[in-house]
Amino acid sequence: MNDQADDQADGERRISTRQAAELLGVKPATVYAYVSRGQLTSRRDPVGRGSSFDAREVEALALRSRREAAAPPGGELSVRTSLTLIEPDRYYFRGVDAVDLASRYRYEEVAEWLWTGTLPRGARFTAPPEALAAARRAVAALPEHSGPIDRLRVATAAAAVTDPLRFDLSEEAVLGSARCLVPTLVGALPEVGAAGWRGDGRLARQLWSRLTAREPDPDALAVLDLALTLLIDHDLAASTLAVRVAASARAHPYAAVSAGLGVLEGPLHGAAGRLAHRMLAEALERGGAAPVVADHLRAGRRVPGLGHRLYEGEDPRAAALFARLEGVPQAGPALAAAREVVATAAARRGGLHANVDLALAVLTVSCGMPAEAGETVFAVSRTAGWMAHALEEYQ
């Protein structure tokens, strides 16, 4: 007897992804988003024809969704997205494996995929001169101790006032704002490296000179581009939810991005990369990760860069970055220290795996970047994802 017959015998009615989407009134990709957030359970077809769902569970979710849609303002927030699906061991952008996309396409190309569902080879973003000049003036006026999120928030506000079409929420206008804002944010950050890279149109090269004074080698630059691409979106994280709320009130896209940056500045969402960087740097200084991990455990602190509530094993973003960092010679010591951190913590507490913050810290430590560099990479990268969510909310 096959699985479907077993289900029928037990009184359980299974339906396909297409049928579930029709019942819920959403796209098939959104059905899997419900699965990633624990609102639906799916079962793989052993023949390989997709997934099936418990019809009664889908019908119950559809009923809840209709009630939420009819509820007055102030009720429980309900957000649907078809942009990113997270499974226990991988994640997808618009139904395509995100790690595979990031391995074959550059950041700008994957941003276009999230925004438009197309993958234009060779996509480049250009900052409008007026917006870039205004953003640079605003950032230059900040105190020297200002952090990367301070600079990016001010640059976003400055770019907004130079865009007379910012209140136009049509798809074409929002796409134009998105393609201009991301390079404007990067261009507004102060340069610490060689200015000779300024003429290169690729965002990763533009960002490199804002993160380190070292000249980029092709392998390290490829890792930075991979990190930017992997971090573009990760479903409804706290900052993304803030963007969706702002967009639902029809705030213009610059204001929506500002909402995301505001949440990112909170210690529970944006500080993990900085902590992982400092831990790795300390492990290298002390000649080993064991005493550093011991200090964290003795103080009752969680070890930075380990564990992720959405993945059962290693964060797939970390796995992809670690694999690419193998080809960067100067990353060897930091990579070894990161692996020692994982092994030491696992010996004390099983089930802990590396997350993307630890992998990103290997890049920032080994390339002479400051502790806040990971935060900068994350915020710049996620701006494209926030714009994708704003677009989806406006529609």
Side-chain angles (χ1 to χ4, degrees):
M1 186 181 291
N2 60 30
D3 286 351
Q4 186 173 4
D6 287 337
D7 294 338
Q8 297 293 345
D10 293 338
E12 182 183 33
R13 183 163 54 93
R14 309 294 298 182
I15 59 177
S16 67
T17 304
R18 180 184 59 79
Q19 291 169 320
E22 290 174 355
L23 275 172
L24 292 165
V26 298
K27 297 177 181 178
T30 305
V31 175
Y32 290 105
Y34 285 132
V35 174
S36 74
R37 294 197 292 274
Q39 294 173 278
L40 282 178
T41 54
S42 65
R43 182 181 301 170
R44 291 282 189 182
D45 185 334
V47 184
R49 295 178 180 174
S51 301
S52 67
F53 300 84
D54 182 340
R56 286 175 296 186
E57 187 181 41
V58 174
E59 289 163 356
L61 178 59
L63 181 60
R64 289 200 305 273
S65 297
R66 286 194 292 271
R67 286 174 178 166
E68 289 165 2
E76 182 182 350
L77 182 66
S78 177
V79 179
R80 296 175 178 177
T81 179
S82 59
L83 295 173
T84 302
L85 162 69
I86 299 176
E87 290 188 341
D89 60 349
R90 65 185 64 189
Y91 68 119
Y92 303 84
F93 292 152
R94 288 189 178 272
V96 179
D97 185 282
V99 172
D100 184 52
L101 268 178
S103 300
R104 296 189 293 118
Y105 295 90
R106 296 189 182 278
Y107 171 77
E108 296 93 325
E109 296 163 343
V110 176
E112 289 285 349
W113 172 248
L114 275 182
W115 295 338
T116 68
T118 62
L119 274 167
R121 282 291 191 183
R124 293 286 185 272
F125 300 153
T126 303
E130 184 181 2
L132 182 57
R136 283 176 171 167
R137 287 195 300 270
V139 169
L142 292 174
E144 287 189 12
H145 65 264
S146 300
I149 305 302
D150 295 322
R151 296 186 178 105
L152 293 172
R153 290 174 69 188
V154 166
T156 300
V161 298
T162 68
D163 184 358
L165 299 179
R166 64 186 181 278
F167 297 106
D168 182 352
L169 304 185
S170 66
E171 182 176 1
E172 182 179 2
V174 175
L175 282 171
S177 298
R179 293 174 180 129
C180 293
L181 178 59
V182 177
T184 298
L185 294 183
V186 173
L189 295 173
E191 281 190 315
V192 294
W197 296 105
R198 185 177 299 158
D200 191 293
R202 285 179 291 178
L203 196 86
R205 283 200 173 182
Q206 295 294 317
L207 182 59
W208 180 278
S209 64
R210 272 82 184 173
L211 299 175
T212 178
R214 297 184 187 178
E215 290 193 3
D217 63 79
D219 293 331
L221 199 56
V223 176
L224 177 59
D225 187 85
L226 178 64
L228 286 167
T229 310
L230 291 168
L231 291 167
I232 281 183
D233 192 45
H234 207 240
D235 201 41
L236 295 174
S239 57
T240 303
L241 189 58
V243 169
R244 296 291 298 231
V245 171
S248 73
R250 296 304 182 262
H252 60 69
Y254 299 91
V257 167
S258 293
L261 287 168
V263 173
L264 194 63
E265 206 163 23
L268 297 182
H269 188 29
R274 190 180 301 215
L275 296 175
H277 176 107
R278 288 173 176 164
M279 178 188 65
L280 272 190
E282 184 181 357
L284 290 172
E285 289 173 5
R286 297 175 66 174
V292 179
V293 171
D295 286 348
H296 277 80
L297 296 176
R298 186 180 301 115
R301 300 189 303 265
R302 64 184 298 271
V303 181
L306 297 182
H308 197 291
R309 65 184 182 84
L310 296 180
Y311 297 114
E312 295 177 354
E314 187 175 43
D315 184 335
R317 300 169 297 177
L321 284 171
F322 283 143
R324 190 70 65 86
L325 283 162
E326 290 278 6
V328 181
Q330 68 265 34
L335 191 57
R339 287 176 171 153
E340 189 182 353
V341 166
V342 176
T344 303
R348 293 287 301 273
R349 290 181 57 194
L352 285 179
H353 301 273
N355 63 34
V356 71
D357 296 311
L358 186 62
L360 191 56
V362 173
L363 173 68
T364 58
V365 168
S366 61
C367 292
M369 298 176 185
E372 65 268 19
E375 193 175 346
T376 306
V377 173
F378 184 92
V380 168
S381 169
R382 192 57 59 90
T383 298
W386 291 336
M387 280 292 197
H389 280 274
L391 268 166
E392 189 177 51
E393 190 66 38
Y394 295 145
Q395 292 167 2

